[in-house]
Amino acid sequence: MTVYAIVQLKMTDRAAYDRYQARFFDVFRKFSGRLLSADENPQVLEGAWDRDKLVLMSFPDEAAFQAWATSPEYLEISKDRKAGAHGVVLLAKGFAPGTS
């Protein structure tokens, strides 16, 4: 079942985050994920949002997500993401008709 990684970021060190971002696709393209959105100005329609960036990715299944998220290549570059931004990361299962 498709899973979606939803990331909400609050920048703390833009230079560190930019280093992460510059290396992101070289790592990401090795896995089965799709980057659906990386928006630094999402439109807030309801409620308050105190973050600077929203990232939405999809993966064919949770195993594919975990393979990417725990890969040595991603763990190396994620040091700059963690140094450059506070993040909330959610993993949500896709909807399959007939299930809840």
Side-chain angles (χ1 to χ4, degrees):
M1 173 181 292
T2 300
V3 296
Y4 298 92
I6 303 136
V7 184
Q8 299 179 40
L9 298 166
K10 181 74 171 171
M11 299 300 165
T12 57
D13 179 344
R14 190 62 200 220
Y17 185 80
D18 287 347
R19 284 192 304 271
Y20 163 77
Q21 190 168 272
R23 297 169 64 198
F24 175 83
F25 274 110
D26 287 342
V27 174
F28 191 71
R29 71 172 46 108
K30 295 177 184 179
F31 297 87
S32 301
R34 289 183 49 219
L35 181 62
L36 304 175
S37 180
D39 193 341
E40 291 196 19
N41 194 25
Q43 185 179 7
V44 177
L45 300 177
E46 187 174 326
W49 194 64
D50 68 346
R51 300 292 166 153
D52 298 311
K53 185 172 186 175
L54 176 79
V55 179
L56 176 61
M57 298 171 278
S58 70
F59 291 85
D61 52 38
E62 189 171 347
F65 168 80
Q66 292 295 343
W68 168 72
T70 62
S71 70
E73 299 96 335
Y74 184 72
L75 291 175
E76 178 60 32
I77 69 167
S78 71
K79 293 174 187 174
D80 280 329
R81 180 185 60 80
K82 292 175 182 175
H86 293 291
V88 175
V89 181
L90 305 168
L91 189 63
K93 295 177 183 173
F95 177 75
T99 64
S100 50

